[in-house]
Amino acid sequence: MSWHQTHITLRPRQRGFHLIDDEVLTQLPQLGYYKVGLLHLFIQHTSASLTLNENADPTVRMDMESHFNHFVPERQSYYRHDYEGDDDMPAHIKSSTLGCEVTIPVSQGRLQLGTWQGIYLGEHRDHAGSRSVVATLHGQLLE
């Protein structure tokens, strides 16, 4: 069994849901050495999230953003934490709701995502910078 851990830097994005599969795979060539295992991705931020969902139709990502903006609205009188603007507390709530990690099976050097699945970055801030993700691989190496 082998372990590999690295930090992946995701480029800055505008607020919304974004497919990051290609960016993750480009920065994780070690994935190709694993016969069977798991890839764990953990985002090191409290105002962004990771999740898996539809990878083909971009309207799904738009609908996700619309839903979460309706579900967790900005400028609520009961929010006390607004030091960084109107999107501050809603971003934290969205991050906690969706989560900060995903674990994906690996087989023969490839992620075992379903046909229509992709890795989403939920960017919940209006003016966010790059995002840091810890990628941990664990499994059996190819022989």
Side-chain angles (χ1 to χ4, degrees):
M1 296 299 261
S2 178
W3 288 91
H4 174 78
Q5 188 172 78
T6 191
H7 289 260
I8 294 173
T9 301
L10 301 175
R11 64 178 171 77
R13 288 179 168 78
Q14 61 184 277
R15 185 164 154 174
F17 288 84
H18 308 276
L19 282 171
I20 60 168
D21 302 46
D22 290 342
E23 200 167 353
V24 168
L25 293 173
T26 297
Q27 296 185 56
L28 195 62
Q30 298 82 1
L31 181 73
Y33 302 125
Y34 283 80
K35 179 178 180 179
V36 63
L38 295 172
L39 171 63
H40 181 261
L41 301 172
F42 176 83
I43 193 161
Q44 295 181 300
H45 302 274
T46 61
S47 57
S49 59
L50 294 175
T51 191
L52 300 177
N53 215 305
E54 164 79 44
N55 69 358
D57 185 351
T59 62
V60 173
R61 295 188 299 279
M62 293 165 41
D63 288 347
M64 291 280 286
E65 176 67 9
S66 295
H67 173 78
F68 278 94
N69 288 337
H70 179 76
F71 181 61
V72 185
E74 293 182 3
R75 294 179 288 286
Q76 296 304 298
S77 61
Y78 48 86
Y79 293 156
R80 290 191 170 82
H81 180 77
D82 60 359
Y83 304 123
E84 297 178 51
D86 290 336
D87 65 344
D88 197 3
M89 191 60 219
H92 295 308
I93 294 169
K94 293 171 187 177
S95 175
S96 285
T97 300
L98 287 160
C100 59
E101 61 188 327
V102 294
T103 302
I104 304 165
V106 174
S107 180
Q108 301 304 315
R110 300 186 64 175
L111 296 179
Q112 294 303 294
L113 293 167
T115 302
W116 306 111
Q117 286 183 317
I119 307 167
Y120 279 22
L121 165 68
E123 179 52 72
H124 307 305
R125 299 304 306 266
D126 290 329
H127 304 289
S130 59
R131 298 299 193 168
S132 298
V133 174
V134 178
T136 306
L137 278 164
H138 180 243
Q140 181 182 359
L141 296 175
L142 291 166
E143 296 177 13

